[in-house]
């Protein structure tokens, strides 16, 4: 079963930065829409940001716009989430995901469109 692998999480103080990475052993993410999601305790999974298979279109939740930036490195077959200005409310388990269907050129942060997931990694923002 294909599964993505997240790394880079941890504990950070408010206002700090982290970069999450996502590797895809056994599959090539190139040309597929990819995304990051998060789930805080007691809350539903939330779409954070996505990037289309072409790498041209991006979308992000209002709560992270201007602070989080999604990117992909096709040569390394990796995706990233650069997080800046972290707030306590960003505390959650973060997941990367791939929509294993041909990209339309646009992406969505609707979890139902994604069918390959990572196991999640904890990000805690606290002083």
């Amino acid at each position: 079963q294909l599964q993505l692998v997240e790394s880079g999480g941890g504990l950070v103080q408010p206002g700090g930065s982290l970069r999450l990475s996502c590797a895809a052993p056994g599959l090539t993410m190139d040309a597929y829409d990819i995304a990051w999601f998060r789930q805080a305790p007691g809350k539903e999974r939330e779409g954070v940001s996505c990037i289309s298979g072409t790498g041209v279109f991006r979308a992000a939740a209002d709560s992270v716009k201007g602070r989080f930036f999604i990117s992909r490195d096709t040569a390394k077959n990796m995706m990233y989430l650069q997080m800046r200005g972290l707030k306590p409310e960003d505390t959650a388990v973060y997941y990367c995901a791939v929509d294993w269907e041909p990209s339309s050129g646009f992406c969505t942060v609707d979890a139902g469109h994604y069918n390959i997931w990572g196991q999640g990694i904890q990000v805690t923002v606290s002083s």
Side-chain angles (χ1 to χ4, degrees):
Q1 182 176 358
L2 295 174
Q3 189 170 44
L4 309 176
V5 181
E6 300 96 342
S7 61
L11 174 65
V12 62
Q13 291 187 344
S17 299
L18 277 177
R19 189 179 80 155
L20 302 182
S21 300
C22 178
L27 67 90
T28 301
M29 294 189 287
D30 190 20
Y32 297 100
D33 299 345
I34 56 178
W36 288 92
F37 295 83
R38 66 186 182 186
Q39 188 166 18
K43 295 187 177 181
E44 294 187 354
R45 189 169 295 189
E46 173 191 21
V48 175
S49 188
C50 67
I51 184 170
S52 67
T54 62
V56 174
F57 181 85
R58 289 182 174 87
D62 288 342
S63 59
V64 305
K65 282 181 180 177
R67 300 188 299 123
F68 290 12
F69 184 77
I70 188 172
S71 62
R72 65 195 306 163
D73 186 330
T74 55
K76 295 182 179 179
N77 197 35
M78 296 284 292
M79 72 164 104
Y80 305 98
L81 184 68
Q82 179 67 52
M83 305 186 291
R84 296 187 173 92
L86 282 161
K87 306 175 181 179
E89 51 264 42
D90 294 318
T91 295
V93 176
Y94 283 72
Y95 301 87
C96 56
V98 173
D99 178 2
W100 195 246
E101 295 289 341
S103 178
S104 65
F106 299 91
C107 64
T108 174
V109 291
D110 178 353
H113 284 259
Y114 295 85
N115 45 21
I116 301 176
W117 291 80
Q119 79 286 355
I121 192 163
Q122 180 69 44
V123 171
T124 302
V125 185
S126 175
S127 55

